[in-house]
């Protein structure tokens, strides 16, 4: 269990997080969302025990993460810096960390499919591969909690998918904090959302419970849908409708199918989480 | 969790130019002063015979400081690319991290002085006892100087807010100014030079160790973040 109790954190007396209270009961993926400067990275650093909260405390399995060096080993922390000595090869860098915290570089390299690049210097890698090598270091040893600050930034879609799949598979037993700027990705990873704005927790719960404004969906069908739904219009082969929530989308799909039309695709043209990133 | 061997290796590899320069300065100056004491024009002048071997000591210190310079730069580099942040995240304390770089600096300094000691032992004309004293002074002076400059430079560097700041050279400069008296005053103390130098080295070393022990209190983890 992760308990964040009345945590306020600052950098040189500039308060960034204000009285955050969250209790996460057990395994799962928790997506942390918020616009730039909302305090997501500060929250991750505070949970990881890297940054001292000036009020409150973070407890993982009952132990204060700032005060216990031991508990921090159970936490896999991925910051958005690569945190790898660039003059080393991938293998050397992972061995370097394995010599400090224990673990096995071989299995981490295999897990991330980095065999082909293990003898290349970090400085010679593309941004995407650097990110991948950086992710590898959190798999050097067993962890109970993963704090992943934008783990898929700079990664191409196939690697992003690989990381997401790994996280989803891990989430059956482990607790995963995941921040992302990619709202579609965030929607796919989890329905548990932690929303932070200006350093304050504004929402924690299921994505469906997050009140969103209406958004657009596009339907590709074999029939003209205009007679069925008068408010819509065609755009790039999709019949576009504005809906309030998923329930309304389900109703529309049902109505289309009942009319005897076939649906080839339904997609969200706006992400319902987008407003999260707007400074409202 | 000890990062000392890795820091030594990385520093020597990244700063090979400094390593070469350090050995060059140490070996050359020791050879020059030892040779001068043995065969130079002042060979019959007791004052020259006293001063010339002592001149090896400041240059041994400079040699030690040269070989450890890449460690200060490595500390800044590791801070800026998030290595220090990760080390904190895996359970190291500020003191563990400072200690790793500190011990690596001392280790490299000792490596740089080793040839100085060997040359002194072979070439100094003043007998085994005096040679041992000279070597002892060279070691304590260099190690204490390196320890203070290292700890000050890391402290200043960790308080640097921007990657482009100049706290690192400022730390080196302040450290050097503080250790200069130890290096050069010893030339003014005549026969009591041994005790003066050892006392100063001891004070500097104790100050450095005290600062290292207090790092967890004096420097917050936030200062290690990129």
């Amino acid at each position: 269990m992760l308990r964040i109790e009345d945590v306020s954190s600052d950098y040189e007396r500039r308060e960034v997080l204000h009285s955050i209270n969250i209790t996460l009961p057990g395994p799962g993926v928790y997506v942390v969302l918020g616009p730039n400067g909302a305090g997501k990275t500060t929250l991750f650093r505070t949970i990881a025990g890297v940054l001292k909260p000036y009020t409150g405390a973070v407890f993982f399995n009952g132990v204060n993460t700032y005060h216990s060096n031991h508990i921090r080993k159970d936490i896999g922390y991925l910051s958005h810096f690569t945190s790898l000595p660039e003059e080393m090869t991938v293998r050397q860098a992972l061995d370097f960390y394995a010599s400090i915290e224990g673990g096995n570089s071989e299995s981490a390299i295999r897990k991330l499919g980095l065999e082909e690049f293990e003898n290349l210097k970090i400085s010679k890698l593309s941004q995407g591969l650097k990110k991948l090598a950086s992710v590898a270091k959190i798999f050097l040893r067993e962890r109970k909690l993963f704090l992943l600050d934008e783990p898929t930034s700079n990664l191409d879609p196939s690697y992003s998918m690989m990381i997401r799949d790994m996280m989803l598979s891990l989430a059956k037993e482990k607790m995963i904090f995941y921040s992302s700027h990619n709202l579609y990705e965030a929607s796919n990873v989890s329905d548990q959302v932690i929303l932070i704005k200006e350093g304050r927790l504004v929402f924690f719960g299921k994505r469906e419970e997050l009140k969103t404004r209406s958004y657009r969906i596009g339907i590709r069908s074999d029939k003209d849908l205009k007679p069925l739904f008068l408010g819509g219009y065609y755009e790039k082969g999709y019949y576009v409708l504005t809906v309030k929530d998923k329930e309304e989308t389900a109703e529309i799909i049902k109505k289309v199918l009942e009319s005897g039309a076939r649906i080839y695709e339904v997609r969200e043209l706006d992400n319902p989480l987008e407003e999260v990133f707007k400074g409202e | 969790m000890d990062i000392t061997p890795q820091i030594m290796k990385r520093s020597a590899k990244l700063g090979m130019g400094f390593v070469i320069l350090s050995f060059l300065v140490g070996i050359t100056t020791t050879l020059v002063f030892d040779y001068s004491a043995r065969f130079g024009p002042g060979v019959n002048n007791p004052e020259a015979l006293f001063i010339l071997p002592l001149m090896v000591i400041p240059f041994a210190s400079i040699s030690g400081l040269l070989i450890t310079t890449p460690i200060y730069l490595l500390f800044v580099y590791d801070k800026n690319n998030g290595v220090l942040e990760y080390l904190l995240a895996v359970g190291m304390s500020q003191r563990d991290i400072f200690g790793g770089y500190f011990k690596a600096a001392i280790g490299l300094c000792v490596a740089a002085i080793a040839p100085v000691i060997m040359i002194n032992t072979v070439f100094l004309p003043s007998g085994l006892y005096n040679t041992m004293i000279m070597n002892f002074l060279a070691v304590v002076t260099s190690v204490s100087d390196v320890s203070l400059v290292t700890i000050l430079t890391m402290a200043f560097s960790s308080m640097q807010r921007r990657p482009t700041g100049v706290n690192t050279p400022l730390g080196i400069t302040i450290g050097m100014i503080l250790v200069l008296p130890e290096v050069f005053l010893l030339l003014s103390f005549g026969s009591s030079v041994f005790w003066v130098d050892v006392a100063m080295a001891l004070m500097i070393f104790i100050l450095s160790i005290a600062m290292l022990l207090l790092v967890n209190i004096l420097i917050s983890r936030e200062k290690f973040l990129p």
Side-chain angles (χ1 to χ4, degrees):
Chain A
M1 196 211 306
L2 182 72
R3 223 168 63 239
I4 301 169
E5 269 185 13
D6 193 31
V7 162
S8 300
S9 296
D10 67 332
Y11 295 107
E12 293 173 358
R13 295 185 201 132
R14 184 175 57 86
E15 192 171 316
V16 177
L17 287 182
H18 316 282
S19 299
I20 303 278
N21 281 289
I22 310 172
T23 300
L24 305 179
V29 180
Y30 301 88
V31 175
V32 181
L33 292 174
N36 283 335
K40 299 187 295 293
T41 297
T42 307
L43 176 65
F44 278 64
R45 282 175 168 168
T46 309
I47 297 170
V50 165
L51 195 61
K52 186 180 184 182
Y54 78 85
T55 64
V58 178
F59 298 93
F60 182 56
N61 290 340
V63 182
N64 187 315
T65 59
Y66 183 81
H67 292 302
S68 167
N69 293 347
H70 184 70
I71 200 77
R72 294 213 297 278
K73 288 176 192 162
D74 288 340
I75 302 173
Y77 171 56
L78 181 79
S79 77
H80 46 188
F81 292 91
T82 54
S83 308
L84 297 168
E86 296 235 340
E87 81 281 4
M88 291 184 177
T89 64
V90 172
R91 162 79 68 177
Q92 287 168 341
L94 293 174
D95 282 340
F96 168 57
Y97 284 125
S99 72
I100 293 164
E101 57 170 328
N104 184 346
S105 63
E106 183 63 44
S107 65
I109 285 171
R110 256 188 282 122
K111 198 171 183 88
L112 273 293
L114 284 166
E115 295 92 336
E116 198 184 326
F117 312 104
E118 65 176 290
N119 293 317
L120 289 180
K121 285 194 172 179
I122 305 286
S123 58
K124 303 279 180 205
L125 299 178
S126 67
Q127 289 301 316
L129 285 171
K130 276 183 192 176
K131 188 75 188 190
L132 216 55
S134 182
V135 173
K137 73 185 186 300
I138 61 167
F139 290 105
L140 281 170
R141 53 178 287 154
E142 279 290 307
R143 319 274 188 187
K144 292 175 182 160
L145 168 66
F146 289 86
L147 302 170
L148 311 175
D149 199 356
E150 297 177 27
T152 55
S153 64
N154 293 324
L155 290 182
D156 67 29
S158 63
Y159 281 128
S160 294
M161 198 184 294
M162 182 180 87
I163 300 290
R164 277 200 304 275
D165 290 347
M166 280 167 68
M167 290 306 129
L168 290 172
S169 146
L170 276 170
K172 289 168 194 159
E173 294 174 354
K174 322 273 182 184
M175 204 177 268
I176 296 166
F177 256 60
Y178 190 109
S179 81
S180 174
H181 273 124
N182 185 329
L183 295 172
Y184 288 100
E185 180 189 54
S187 309
N188 291 334
V189 166
S190 174
D191 62 349
Q192 294 279 349
V193 172
I194 294 166
L195 175 56
I196 294 173
K197 270 186 188 173
E198 293 169 2
R200 293 179 201 283
L201 178 73
V202 291
F203 177 81
F204 170 43
K206 292 212 175 279
R207 187 160 68 96
E208 287 77 14
E209 295 162 11
L210 188 61
K211 283 188 181 168
T212 57
R213 291 183 306 200
S214 53
Y215 60 98
R216 296 178 309 148
I217 58 164
I219 305 169
R220 277 205 312 126
S221 168
D222 63 343
K223 282 190 179 168
D224 182 9
L225 300 178
K226 257 185 180 172
L228 275 178
F229 309 101
L230 294 175
Y233 58 92
Y234 273 99
E235 186 182 281
K236 294 175 185 169
Y238 291 94
Y239 189 64
V240 180
L241 287 163
T242 302
V243 296
K244 285 188 197 129
D245 51 34
K246 283 190 168 178
E247 289 302 313
E248 195 178 350
T249 307
E251 286 298 320
I252 289 169
I253 292 168
K254 195 175 161 198
K255 201 169 170 184
V256 173
L257 293 173
E258 280 171 357
S259 73
R262 292 173 68 186
I263 294 175
Y264 299 130
E265 188 187 357
V266 179
R267 62 183 292 190
E268 289 173 350
L269 299 176
D270 309 312
N271 193 305
L273 295 175
E274 257 169 28
E275 69 184 80
V276 163
F277 285 76
K278 295 174 184 163
E280 295 169 2
Chain B
M1 285 195 280
D2 189 8
I3 54 174
T4 308
Q6 287 285 357
I7 299 299
M8 279 178 79
K9 257 190 260 174
R10 291 177 63 205
S11 176
K13 210 170 159 185
L14 284 171
M16 194 46 79
F18 279 95
V19 174
I20 293 167
L21 196 64
S22 160
F23 280 110
L24 212 62
V25 167
I27 292 169
T28 313
T29 54
T30 310
L31 280 173
V32 166
F33 290 118
D34 284 1
Y35 181 86
S36 304
R38 194 161 201 154
F39 305 111
V43 73
N44 294 320
N45 180 344
E47 269 185 31
L49 274 181
F50 178 73
I51 293 288
L52 283 171
L54 279 178
M55 287 302 290
V56 169
I57 296 170
F59 283 98
S61 270
I62 290 169
S63 173
L65 289 168
L66 276 173
I67 205 169
T68 51
T69 302
I71 288 187
Y72 317 144
L73 305 177
L74 191 62
F75 180 83
V76 177
Y77 163 72
D78 283 348
K79 180 192 169 190
N80 290 341
N81 77 359
V83 170
L84 300 189
E85 182 182 13
Y86 191 73
L87 294 178
L88 287 173
V90 298
M92 292 185 86
S93 67
Q94 301 96 300
R95 192 193 301 153
D96 294 334
I97 295 172
F98 257 50
Y101 289 85
F102 181 83
K103 285 185 276 176
I106 301 293
L108 285 179
C109 172
V110 170
I113 310 167
V116 172
I117 305 295
M118 282 191 277
I119 294 167
N120 261 346
T121 308
V122 174
F123 287 106
L124 263 188
S126 42
L128 185 62
Y129 178 72
N130 285 340
T131 305
M132 278 174 67
I133 286 178
M134 285 301 159
N135 285 340
F136 180 72
L137 288 180
V139 172
V140 295
T141 308
S142 308
V143 167
S144 63
D145 290 353
V146 162
S147 65
L148 186 67
V149 174
T150 304
I151 207 85
L152 279 177
T153 306
M154 286 195 294
F156 272 88
S157 302
S158 48
M159 281 184 263
Q160 183 163 297
R161 290 182 198 177
R162 284 167 287 115
T164 49
V166 292
N167 277 22
T168 308
L170 184 66
I172 298 174
T173 309
I174 291 175
M176 296 275 266
I177 289 169
L178 288 176
V179 299
L180 272 179
E182 179 200 18
V183 171
F184 289 108
L185 279 180
L186 62 90
L187 300 175
S188 329
F189 277 86
S191 54
S192 57
V193 63
F194 177 81
W195 295 111
V196 170
D197 204 47
V198 168
M200 289 176 91
L202 206 61
M203 278 193 306
I204 289 173
F205 194 67
I206 288 170
L207 179 65
S208 312
I209 295 294
M211 286 169 77
L212 179 64
L213 292 176
L214 292 172
V215 155
N216 285 357
I217 299 165
L218 296 175
I219 298 176
S220 66
R221 287 185 198 167
E222 176 197 332
K223 306 287 184 200
F224 285 60
L225 304 179

